[in-house]
Amino acid sequence: MLNKLYSEKESIVHRIDIKTKIIYTFGYVLSLMLMNNFLTVFISFIILVFLLLFSKLGMKKIFYFMKTTFPALISIAIMYKFVLEKTNFEIVRISSVLIFSTVSISCFVMTTKVTEMAKAIESMIPFKKIIPAYEISLMFTVSLRFLPMFIREYKRIKKAKICRGIYIEDMNLKEKVKHVLGYFLPMFLLSLEHAYNLAIAMEVKGYRKKERQVEWNFEKVDYIMFLLLVVYLVLIVGGRK
Amino acid sequence: MRDAKMLKITFCSMCIVINIIGGMIAHTVRIPLLFLDTVGTILSAAVLGPFYGMATGGLSSILKALIMNPKGMPFALVNVAIGLTVGIIAKKFGFNIKTAIISGILLAIICPLIGTPIAVFLSGGFVGDPLDIIVAWMAKSGQSIFVSAFVPRIFANLIDKTMSGILVVTLIKSMPAKILKPLKA
């Protein structure tokens, strides 16, 4: 379930260091704010197309993510055109920001293993003497380990309620509010039990913080990506009116 | 238990899981303006303080974006702010029904303050839900797009965060002493 969004492929984007990917995606999404004419929208689009080509991700996968943005896109188009009476460029610009940002973040998600993320979080946190990066990364890893189990448990509780004739969808608002706790409490008590048992187990086994040096090992492809980002930023700033 | 730090870390991990499951519960229950995806953040911040609250909030958004909805990643900042606010309130005044309601009201202002600029930047303030009608109506009546997107979100957050806060108070009351004591120490 956890790797459902990850797309196992042999591509350049898959080979890029996760830290480079984070910086690149962040820089690209922020740069979308600079679009103020059709040329800059086109430049951003071209860069995105290159990214998708290099990542070898199928259009089917991309559309899977785009589904979540369709309601917002329709809303933007209707409201901007008929209610707020904005220009066609404004509609194109804001729709492009939404589509480009979603696709670029999706591309990052689909080419990054969830388990790699914990390492990246640890290495990217600054001021390690003040912020306990190792603990934060450990939290992420533990939650990853337990999430599928809790989702299964939640589905079981939901089915158990249906077996007892509790159809929450058909209830009125007051009854629904009453039943929220009925879903939360078993999950919460289960999570407490697991948190306690895991903490005891780790203590018994003498689990301690590992002193390790997390290095930024960039390869040739990472430097190319940084160069591409810089060239893109220069183009988009130069293309502004 | 000698080392409470390990329990704090595992507890925060479970709070991250609760955040994601909370969102799924809200999807099943379908109560208007109730999202329940910050219950874990409020819980860890109320029990452990601002740092753990912020970490839980930030990591929940990242995890959720990685496995469910990548579009939500930029909103991690909102979750971090929730952890910080509730953590500070809980540390200074404790966390009971009264402070839960007060923090709910505060969060109803703080969350849209951070979330609205992100939403305006990414999708022009429209997110494709019924609140968009109010946003468009306010924008048409002469308000700026920021104000138009900000005001309806205050009401949505007021209901969600207050309910989540009250739920957390109930959950904390049901916590066994053997776990709550080392966590609070």
Side-chain angles (χ1 to χ4, degrees):
Chain A
M1 185 258 159
L2 287 179
N3 272 334
K4 191 176 149 196
L5 305 187
Y6 175 69
S7 177
E8 185 84 61
K9 292 243 167 81
E10 268 298 315
S11 77
I12 298 169
V13 181
H14 282 77
R15 283 213 312 271
I16 298 169
D17 191 279
I18 182 170
K19 296 179 282 291
T20 315
K21 274 192 248 182
I22 292 174
I23 295 166
Y24 187 88
T25 312
F26 190 70
Y28 179 77
V29 172
L30 274 184
S31 75
L32 297 176
M33 212 191 288
L34 298 169
M35 295 191 305
N36 71 347
N37 57 24
F38 281 110
L39 180 68
T40 47
V41 173
F42 183 70
I43 293 168
S44 303
F45 174 71
I46 291 294
I47 288 288
L48 195 64
V49 169
F50 271 116
L51 190 70
L52 288 177
L53 285 175
F54 288 144
S55 63
K56 291 184 182 170
L57 294 169
M59 285 313 284
K60 207 174 162 188
K61 275 259 182 187
I62 299 295
F63 274 112
Y64 174 80
F65 282 108
M66 286 308 296
K67 271 194 297 188
T68 56
T69 60
F70 281 143
L73 272 175
I74 295 165
S75 193
I76 288 168
I78 294 171
M79 300 298 181
Y80 267 54
K81 183 77 187 167
F82 301 109
V83 184
L84 304 177
E85 288 159 8
K86 298 263 186 185
T87 58
N88 284 343
F89 171 70
E90 263 306 301
I91 300 168
V92 171
R93 190 192 67 83
I94 203 70
S95 307
S96 305
V97 172
L98 183 61
I99 295 169
F100 295 174
S101 58
T102 309
V103 173
S104 59
I105 296 173
S106 306
C107 186
F108 162 66
V109 168
M110 282 190 285
T111 55
T112 310
K113 277 185 186 163
V114 181
T115 41
E116 279 176 11
M117 197 66 193
K119 261 191 213 168
I121 289 171
E122 189 182 344
S123 58
M124 286 202 78
I125 289 174
F127 313 116
K128 289 196 177 58
K129 283 193 176 158
I130 309 164
I131 305 168
Y134 181 77
E135 279 81 356
I136 291 173
S137 141
L138 185 62
M139 274 178 211
F140 188 79
T141 316
V142 173
S143 58
L144 264 180
R145 158 71 183 82
F146 281 94
L147 186 60
M149 198 188 77
F150 273 80
I151 291 175
R152 272 201 304 275
E153 197 60 38
Y154 167 66
K155 282 180 183 166
R156 200 173 295 157
I157 291 169
K158 212 169 132 182
K159 280 179 188 162
K161 287 210 181 273
I162 292 169
C163 288
R164 287 183 206 131
I166 302 168
Y167 291 97
I168 202 144
E169 291 92 348
D170 303 335
M171 289 177 179
N172 61 34
L173 192 66
K174 202 177 162 187
E175 283 175 328
K176 275 183 179 179
V177 172
K178 274 185 194 169
H179 275 88
V180 168
L181 200 64
Y183 279 97
F184 254 106
L185 211 52
M187 300 300 298
F188 176 65
L189 294 175
L190 187 75
S191 70
L192 283 183
E193 197 187 314
H194 281 295
Y196 189 73
N197 289 344
L198 186 66
I200 293 272
M202 285 164 102
E203 196 181 322
V204 168
K205 286 180 180 174
Y207 189 87
R208 285 282 174 273
K209 180 182 170 179
K210 285 173 198 157
E211 288 300 334
R212 59 181 178 192
Q213 194 72 36
V214 188
E215 287 170 5
W216 290 60
N217 292 324
F218 287 141
E219 286 175 25
K220 210 172 165 183
V221 69
D222 298 297
Y223 292 111
I224 293 170
M225 284 305 282
F226 282 125
L227 190 70
L228 194 69
L229 184 65
V230 172
V231 171
Y232 161 67
L233 287 175
V234 169
L235 281 175
I236 206 162
V237 171
R240 273 166 66 88
K241 267 186 190 168
Chain B
M1 178 173 289
R2 253 189 276 166
D3 191 5
K5 196 170 184 182
M6 208 48 84
L7 183 61
K8 284 177 183 175
I9 291 170
T10 52
F11 180 73
C12 278
S13 306
M14 297 305 157
C15 287
I16 294 170
V17 176
I18 287 173
N19 269 342
I20 292 166
I21 298 290
M24 291 170 84
I25 292 173
H27 192 257
T28 308
V29 177
R30 282 193 188 146
I31 298 173
L33 305 178
L34 195 69
F35 315 114
L36 296 175
D37 53 356
T38 51
V39 174
T41 311
I42 298 174
L43 180 66
S44 71
V47 176
L48 300 172
F51 167 72
Y52 287 98
M54 283 158 71
T56 306
L59 291 177
S60 309
S61 293
I62 295 171
L63 186 60
K64 205 174 170 187
L66 282 173
I67 61 164
M68 287 172 182
N69 178 20
K71 207 178 68 167
M73 203 178 261
F75 293 92
L77 278 178
V78 180
N79 250 340
V80 171
I82 293 170
L84 179 69
T85 313
V86 176
I88 292 169
I89 291 173
K91 214 160 198 187
K92 285 225 164 188
F93 310 103
F95 204 72
N96 48 38
I97 292 282
K98 208 171 135 187
T99 45
I101 293 170
I102 292 167
S103 55
I105 295 166
L106 258 176
L107 289 175
I109 299 161
I110 294 167
C111 294
L113 263 180
I114 302 164
T116 310
I118 302 171
V120 169
F121 164 59
L122 288 178
S123 56
F126 298 102
V127 286
D129 65 14
L131 278 179
D132 285 354
I133 299 165
I134 304 169
V135 177
W137 170 65
M138 285 187 69
K140 185 76 180 164
S141 67
Q143 301 293 336
S144 68
I145 196 76
F146 179 83
V147 174
S148 312
F150 178 71
V151 175
R153 278 178 179 84
I154 291 179
F155 294 106
N157 275 290
L158 187 65
I159 294 167
D160 178 47
K161 301 299 179 283
T162 314
M163 281 282 285
S164 301
I166 294 168
L167 188 65
V168 167
V169 174
T170 320
L171 294 178
I172 292 174
K173 273 183 189 166
S174 68
M175 275 174 82
K178 72 168 183 180
I179 295 176
L180 193 60
K181 218 176 162 185
L183 286 176
K184 289 257 183 188

PDB file of all heavy atoms in Angstrom, chain B residues 55-78:
ATOM      1  N   ALA B  55       6.844  18.453  15.130  1.00  0.00           N
ATOM      2  CA  ALA B  55       7.411  17.315  14.379  1.00  0.00           C
ATOM      3  C   ALA B  55       6.292  16.407  13.880  1.00  0.00           C
ATOM      4  O   ALA B  55       6.293  15.990  12.714  1.00  0.00           O
ATOM      5  CB  ALA B  55       8.374  16.535  15.273  1.00  0.00           C
ATOM      6  N   THR B  56       5.319  16.126  14.757  1.00  0.00           N
ATOM      7  CA  THR B  56       4.195  15.260  14.365  1.00  0.00           C
ATOM      8  C   THR B  56       3.430  15.879  13.196  1.00  0.00           C
ATOM      9  O   THR B  56       3.109  15.199  12.215  1.00  0.00           O
ATOM     10  CB  THR B  56       3.237  15.053  15.563  1.00  0.00           C
ATOM     11  OG1 THR B  56       3.990  14.582  16.668  1.00  0.00           O
ATOM     12  CG2 THR B  56       2.137  14.068  15.244  1.00  0.00           C
ATOM     13  N   GLY B  57       3.144  17.170  13.314  1.00  0.00           N
ATOM     14  CA  GLY B  57       2.387  17.863  12.271  1.00  0.00           C
ATOM     15  C   GLY B  57       3.097  17.846  10.928  1.00  0.00           C
ATOM     16  O   GLY B  57       2.515  17.451   9.907  1.00  0.00           O
ATOM     17  N   GLY B  58       4.355  18.232  10.941  1.00  0.00           N
ATOM     18  CA  GLY B  58       5.131  18.293   9.695  1.00  0.00           C
ATOM     19  C   GLY B  58       5.267  16.930   9.043  1.00  0.00           C
ATOM     20  O   GLY B  58       5.034  16.781   7.840  1.00  0.00           O
ATOM     21  N   LEU B  59       5.604  15.926   9.861  1.00  0.00           N
ATOM     22  CA  LEU B  59       5.812  14.578   9.312  1.00  0.00           C
ATOM     23  C   LEU B  59       4.500  13.976   8.784  1.00  0.00           C
ATOM     24  O   LEU B  59       4.507  13.255   7.791  1.00  0.00           O
ATOM     25  CB  LEU B  59       6.426  13.660  10.371  1.00  0.00           C
ATOM     26  CG  LEU B  59       7.874  13.967  10.763  1.00  0.00           C
ATOM     27  CD1 LEU B  59       8.330  13.041  11.871  1.00  0.00           C
ATOM     28  CD2 LEU B  59       8.817  13.832   9.579  1.00  0.00           C
ATOM     29  N   SER B  60       3.379  14.290   9.463  1.00  0.00           N
ATOM     30  CA  SER B  60       2.079  13.766   8.989  1.00  0.00           C
ATOM     31  C   SER B  60       1.794  14.258   7.583  1.00  0.00           C
ATOM     32  O   SER B  60       1.359  13.487   6.724  1.00  0.00           O
ATOM     33  CB  SER B  60       0.916  14.236   9.873  1.00  0.00           C
ATOM     34  OG  SER B  60       1.164  13.986  11.180  1.00  0.00           O
ATOM     35  N   SER B  61       2.031  15.556   7.363  1.00  0.00           N
ATOM     36  CA  SER B  61       1.746  16.115   6.034  1.00  0.00           C
ATOM     37  C   SER B  61       2.641  15.491   4.974  1.00  0.00           C
ATOM     38  O   SER B  61       2.183  15.193   3.869  1.00  0.00           O
ATOM     39  CB  SER B  61       1.959  17.627   6.045  1.00  0.00           C
ATOM     40  OG  SER B  61       1.001  18.216   6.856  1.00  0.00           O
ATOM     41  N   ILE B  62       3.919  15.294   5.329  1.00  0.00           N
ATOM     42  CA  ILE B  62       4.849  14.699   4.360  1.00  0.00           C
ATOM     43  C   ILE B  62       4.423  13.258   4.031  1.00  0.00           C
ATOM     44  O   ILE B  62       4.334  12.869   2.868  1.00  0.00           O
ATOM     45  CB  ILE B  62       6.306  14.742   4.889  1.00  0.00           C
ATOM     46  CG1 ILE B  62       6.771  16.194   5.016  1.00  0.00           C
ATOM     47  CG2 ILE B  62       7.253  13.964   3.982  1.00  0.00           C
ATOM     48  CD1 ILE B  62       8.083  16.370   5.728  1.00  0.00           C
ATOM     49  N   LEU B  63       4.111  12.499   5.088  1.00  0.00           N
ATOM     50  CA  LEU B  63       3.711  11.095   4.888  1.00  0.00           C
ATOM     51  C   LEU B  63       2.424  10.999   4.073  1.00  0.00           C
ATOM     52  O   LEU B  63       2.309  10.193   3.155  1.00  0.00           O
ATOM     53  CB  LEU B  63       3.549  10.415   6.254  1.00  0.00           C
ATOM     54  CG  LEU B  63       3.274   8.923   6.242  1.00  0.00           C
ATOM     55  CD1 LEU B  63       4.392   8.164   5.557  1.00  0.00           C
ATOM     56  CD2 LEU B  63       3.114   8.378   7.649  1.00  0.00           C
ATOM     57  N   LYS B  64       1.469  11.862   4.419  1.00  0.00           N
ATOM     58  CA  LYS B  64       0.184  11.853   3.705  1.00  0.00           C
ATOM     59  C   LYS B  64       0.393  12.204   2.221  1.00  0.00           C
ATOM     60  O   LYS B  64      -0.218  11.605   1.340  1.00  0.00           O
ATOM     61  CB  LYS B  64      -0.758  12.863   4.361  1.00  0.00           C
ATOM     62  CG  LYS B  64      -2.208  12.532   4.128  1.00  0.00           C
ATOM     63  CD  LYS B  64      -3.080  13.465   4.914  1.00  0.00           C
ATOM     64  CE  LYS B  64      -4.521  13.311   4.498  1.00  0.00           C
ATOM     65  NZ  LYS B  64      -5.376  14.298   5.121  1.00  0.00           N
ATOM     66  N   ALA B  65       1.271  13.173   1.994  1.00  0.00           N
ATOM     67  CA  ALA B  65       1.544  13.568   0.610  1.00  0.00           C
ATOM     68  C   ALA B  65       2.216  12.434  -0.145  1.00  0.00           C
ATOM     69  O   ALA B  65       1.946  12.218  -1.326  1.00  0.00           O
ATOM     70  CB  ALA B  65       2.421  14.804   0.587  1.00  0.00           C
ATOM     71  N   LEU B  66       3.086  11.700   0.535  1.00  0.00           N
ATOM     72  CA  LEU B  66       3.819  10.625  -0.131  1.00  0.00           C
ATOM     73  C   LEU B  66       2.958   9.422  -0.461  1.00  0.00           C
ATOM     74  O   LEU B  66       3.235   8.693  -1.403  1.00  0.00           O
ATOM     75  CB  LEU B  66       4.993  10.174   0.733  1.00  0.00           C
ATOM     76  CG  LEU B  66       6.221  11.080   0.719  1.00  0.00           C
ATOM     77  CD1 LEU B  66       7.224  10.605   1.733  1.00  0.00           C
ATOM     78  CD2 LEU B  66       6.860  11.112  -0.647  1.00  0.00           C
ATOM     79  N   ILE B  67       1.917   9.191   0.347  1.00  0.00           N
ATOM     80  CA  ILE B  67       1.142   7.969   0.090  1.00  0.00           C
ATOM     81  C   ILE B  67      -0.270   8.230  -0.422  1.00  0.00           C
ATOM     82  O   ILE B  67      -0.915   7.342  -0.924  1.00  0.00           O
ATOM     83  CB  ILE B  67       1.080   7.050   1.335  1.00  0.00           C
ATOM     84  CG1 ILE B  67       0.387   7.779   2.484  1.00  0.00           C
ATOM     85  CG2 ILE B  67       2.431   6.535   1.731  1.00  0.00           C
ATOM     86  CD1 ILE B  67      -0.061   6.855   3.575  1.00  0.00           C
ATOM     87  N   MET B  68      -0.766   9.459  -0.258  1.00  0.00           N
ATOM     88  CA  MET B  68      -2.155   9.694  -0.668  1.00  0.00           C
ATOM     89  C   MET B  68      -2.327  10.870  -1.624  1.00  0.00           C
ATOM     90  O   MET B  68      -2.825  10.730  -2.720  1.00  0.00           O
ATOM     91  CB  MET B  68      -3.031   9.938   0.554  1.00  0.00           C
ATOM     92  CG  MET B  68      -3.289   8.697   1.360  1.00  0.00           C
ATOM     93  SD  MET B  68      -4.121   9.112   2.871  1.00  0.00           S
ATOM     94  CE  MET B  68      -4.224   7.517   3.624  1.00  0.00           C
ATOM     95  N   ASN B  69      -1.914  12.063  -1.158  1.00  0.00           N
ATOM     96  CA  ASN B  69      -2.256  13.269  -1.906  1.00  0.00           C
ATOM     97  C   ASN B  69      -1.070  14.229  -1.996  1.00  0.00           C
ATOM     98  O   ASN B  69      -0.858  15.047  -1.098  1.00  0.00           O
ATOM     99  CB  ASN B  69      -3.456  13.933  -1.199  1.00  0.00           C
ATOM    100  CG  ASN B  69      -3.881  15.212  -1.855  1.00  0.00           C
ATOM    101  OD1 ASN B  69      -3.574  15.472  -3.022  1.00  0.00           O
ATOM    102  ND2 ASN B  69      -4.583  16.029  -1.094  1.00  0.00           N
ATOM    103  N   PRO B  70      -0.273  14.163  -3.059  1.00  0.00           N
ATOM    104  CA  PRO B  70       0.929  15.010  -3.159  1.00  0.00           C
ATOM    105  C   PRO B  70       0.628  16.503  -3.125  1.00  0.00           C
ATOM    106  O   PRO B  70       1.448  17.291  -2.698  1.00  0.00           O
ATOM    107  CB  PRO B  70       1.526  14.622  -4.503  1.00  0.00           C
ATOM    108  CG  PRO B  70       0.841  13.417  -4.945  1.00  0.00           C
ATOM    109  CD  PRO B  70      -0.462  13.330  -4.246  1.00  0.00           C
ATOM    110  N   LYS B  71      -0.582  16.873  -3.556  1.00  0.00           N
ATOM    111  CA  LYS B  71      -0.968  18.280  -3.623  1.00  0.00           C
ATOM    112  C   LYS B  71      -0.938  18.944  -2.242  1.00  0.00           C
ATOM    113  O   LYS B  71      -0.775  20.146  -2.124  1.00  0.00           O
ATOM    114  CB  LYS B  71      -2.385  18.349  -4.201  1.00  0.00           C
ATOM    115  CG  LYS B  71      -2.709  19.631  -4.912  1.00  0.00           C
ATOM    116  CD  LYS B  71      -4.111  19.564  -5.478  1.00  0.00           C
ATOM    117  CE  LYS B  71      -5.132  19.557  -4.364  1.00  0.00           C
ATOM    118  NZ  LYS B  71      -6.501  19.783  -4.761  1.00  0.00           N
ATOM    119  N   GLY B  72      -1.079  18.118  -1.189  1.00  0.00           N
ATOM    120  CA  GLY B  72      -1.174  18.672   0.161  1.00  0.00           C
ATOM    121  C   GLY B  72       0.166  18.984   0.811  1.00  0.00           C
ATOM    122  O   GLY B  72       0.218  19.538   1.909  1.00  0.00           O
ATOM    123  N   MET B  73       1.281  18.639   0.117  1.00  0.00           N
ATOM    124  CA  MET B  73       2.599  18.813   0.738  1.00  0.00           C
ATOM    125  C   MET B  73       2.897  20.254   1.166  1.00  0.00           C
ATOM    126  O   MET B  73       3.413  20.474   2.266  1.00  0.00           O
ATOM    127  CB  MET B  73       3.695  18.281  -0.175  1.00  0.00           C
ATOM    128  CG  MET B  73       4.940  17.920   0.586  1.00  0.00           C
ATOM    129  SD  MET B  73       6.203  17.257  -0.467  1.00  0.00           S
ATOM    130  CE  MET B  73       6.029  15.530  -0.240  1.00  0.00           C
ATOM    131  N   PRO B  74       2.577  21.266   0.346  1.00  0.00           N
ATOM    132  CA  PRO B  74       2.887  22.639   0.775  1.00  0.00           C
ATOM    133  C   PRO B  74       2.148  23.070   2.050  1.00  0.00           C
ATOM    134  O   PRO B  74       2.548  24.024   2.709  1.00  0.00           O
ATOM    135  CB  PRO B  74       2.426  23.501  -0.413  1.00  0.00           C
ATOM    136  CG  PRO B  74       2.405  22.581  -1.570  1.00  0.00           C
ATOM    137  CD  PRO B  74       2.033  21.245  -1.025  1.00  0.00           C
ATOM    138  N   PHE B  75       1.070  22.355   2.397  1.00  0.00           N
ATOM    139  CA  PHE B  75       0.294  22.735   3.583  1.00  0.00           C
ATOM    140  C   PHE B  75       0.887  22.159   4.880  1.00  0.00           C
ATOM    141  O   PHE B  75       0.271  22.273   5.935  1.00  0.00           O
ATOM    142  CB  PHE B  75      -1.172  22.301   3.424  1.00  0.00           C
ATOM    143  CG  PHE B  75      -1.888  23.066   2.334  1.00  0.00           C
ATOM    144  CD1 PHE B  75      -1.934  22.584   1.041  1.00  0.00           C
ATOM    145  CD2 PHE B  75      -2.471  24.284   2.601  1.00  0.00           C
ATOM    146  CE1 PHE B  75      -2.564  23.294   0.027  1.00  0.00           C
ATOM    147  CE2 PHE B  75      -3.107  25.011   1.596  1.00  0.00           C
ATOM    148  CZ  PHE B  75      -3.150  24.511   0.313  1.00  0.00           C
ATOM    149  N   ALA B  76       2.080  21.554   4.785  1.00  0.00           N
ATOM    150  CA  ALA B  76       2.744  21.023   5.986  1.00  0.00           C
ATOM    151  C   ALA B  76       2.993  22.131   7.010  1.00  0.00           C
ATOM    152  O   ALA B  76       2.953  21.894   8.222  1.00  0.00           O
ATOM    153  CB  ALA B  76       4.057  20.362   5.595  1.00  0.00           C
ATOM    154  N   LEU B  77       3.207  23.339   6.499  1.00  0.00           N
ATOM    155  CA  LEU B  77       3.466  24.489   7.389  1.00  0.00           C
ATOM    156  C   LEU B  77       2.299  24.739   8.333  1.00  0.00           C
ATOM    157  O   LEU B  77       2.495  25.128   9.493  1.00  0.00           O
ATOM    158  CB  LEU B  77       3.692  25.750   6.542  1.00  0.00           C
ATOM    159  CG  LEU B  77       5.069  25.968   5.956  1.00  0.00           C
ATOM    160  CD1 LEU B  77       5.077  27.221   5.113  1.00  0.00           C
ATOM    161  CD2 LEU B  77       6.115  26.086   7.055  1.00  0.00           C
ATOM    162  N   VAL B  78       1.079  24.520   7.845  1.00  0.00           N
ATOM    163  CA  VAL B  78      -0.124  24.731   8.661  1.00  0.00           C
ATOM    164  C   VAL B  78      -0.110  23.757   9.837  1.00  0.00           C
ATOM    165  O   VAL B  78      -0.365  24.138  10.992  1.00  0.00           O
ATOM    166  CB  VAL B  78      -1.411  24.546   7.809  1.00  0.00           C
ATOM    167  CG1 VAL B  78      -2.656  24.755   8.641  1.00  0.00           C
ATOM    168  CG2 VAL B  78      -1.411  25.476   6.616  1.00  0.00           C
TER     169      VAL B  78
END
